[in-house]
Amino acid sequence: MKEQQYILKNPETFHLKDIFECGQCFRWNEQEDGSYTGIWKENVVNVKKEGQDYIFTGICKTENLEEEIHTYFDIDRNYEEIKENLSHIDNYMKDSIQYGKGIRILNQDLWETIISFIISANNNIPRIKGIIERLSKTYGKQIKWNGKIYYTFPTPGELKNVTVEQYRALGLGFRDIRLYETTKMILEGKVNLQELEENPNTIEVREKLLTLSGVGPKVADCILLFSDLKRLEVFPIDVWVRRVMNDLYIRNEDETKVNKKQIEKMAKEKFGDLAGLAQQYLFYWRREA
DNA sequence: GTCCAGGGAATCA
DNA sequence: TGATTCCATGGA
């Protein structure tokens, strides 16, 4: 594969740190020069800001880096309009959007997103990244670029013969069996990822995701929002989102006692079909600041 | 040593 | 339905 380059000229909504460190993805790492290098599908790419432009350099299986980037980075969606709409809701939204104004929600591979967020359960982001890296290094394919070796995220087929013990050895903890069972279910066709991609009914897709081992309400919503299923209306509720929603709107003395349905209801009322975006601005803001 | 992390599943009322 | 408890692991 030959190295390719693509320049994204002066995008309106686009900031590397906001995109890669808002908690939606786990395989992009900051470099010494402030650029980021990451891998998705069989693409290994470095992104560097030059003036107001972004230079993408790397290798791409399809020989069309521009198209891959436009899809993955959701370039053709109007985030300025989304932020404008959300900013009018209240000053909390305005502040959180100001903080994370360069966020774009990536169109990540469905399979990779499912496995990544199963691993995320009761876990922290640095450790999630480490586990995914070891999983890829052990079972993915090598891609050499720029004097380094990168590893693709393993496909279901590449995980076919992996045992629960081998997952445990990667540091997966109690999630080992979940990964094993979900991979098996997908290999056996009990859940057909292609069908999920093509089904416009979000309720049905969510129900199907919930049948997977290790996928509960929060993980299912992260998959719907952060994968190329791209359901921007879903509102994943984790400890941080519960915390920020309680701090701002609910104000219960004990945040751990706040009812999840109450949060869902409030999110729908306030943010409507942009709840997922609102959630991401709030999560990033509360967690970083 | 204790607490916590982008929770889920099993169990019990 | 709703609340409790347990589940590995590693960093703070």
Side-chain angles (χ1 to χ4, degrees), chain A residues 120-177:
Chain A
S120 81
N122 200 357
N123 212 338
N124 58 66
I125 291 178
R127 185 160 169 253
I128 297 165
K129 290 179 75 170
I131 292 170
I132 291 173
E133 211 46 47
R134 291 192 291 281
L135 187 66
S136 301
K137 191 168 184 176
T138 309
Y139 302 108
K141 289 183 284 291
Q142 287 192 10
I143 297 182
K144 291 172 186 166
W145 177 60
N146 209 11
K148 283 187 181 174
I149 300 176
Y150 298 86
Y151 299 89
T152 60
F153 191 87
T155 63
E158 285 166 341
L159 296 182
K160 188 177 178 186
N161 297 316
V162 181
T163 64
V164 176
E165 290 73 21
Q166 287 174 302
Y167 283 132
R168 180 63 64 98
L170 292 176
L172 271 157
F174 61 83
R175 307 159 196 84
D176 53 5
I177 186 71

Side-chain angles (χ1 to χ4, degrees), chain A residues 2 26 72 104 114 132 155 216 250-251 257 283 288:
Chain A
K2 209 173 71 176
F26 305 103
Y72 184 71
R104 303 188 78 86
I114 290 171
I132 291 173
T155 63
I250 300 173
R251 300 176 188 281
K257 290 196 175 6
F283 172 85
E288 300 274 322

Side-chain angles (χ1 to χ4, degrees), chain A residues 93-142:
Chain A
M93 276 315 300
K94 199 168 181 176
D95 289 347
S96 67
I97 288 171
Q98 183 56 33
Y99 183 81
K101 56 177 179 278
I103 289 178
R104 303 188 78 86
I105 304 297
L106 301 167
N107 286 300
Q108 303 186 82
D109 176 74
L110 176 56
W111 158 253
E112 177 175 341
T113 310
I114 290 171
I115 299 301
S116 296
F117 279 92
I118 288 174
I119 294 170
S120 81
N122 200 357
N123 212 338
N124 58 66
I125 291 178
R127 185 160 169 253
I128 297 165
K129 290 179 75 170
I131 292 170
I132 291 173
E133 211 46 47
R134 291 192 291 281
L135 187 66
S136 301
K137 191 168 184 176
T138 309
Y139 302 108
K141 289 183 284 291
Q142 287 192 10

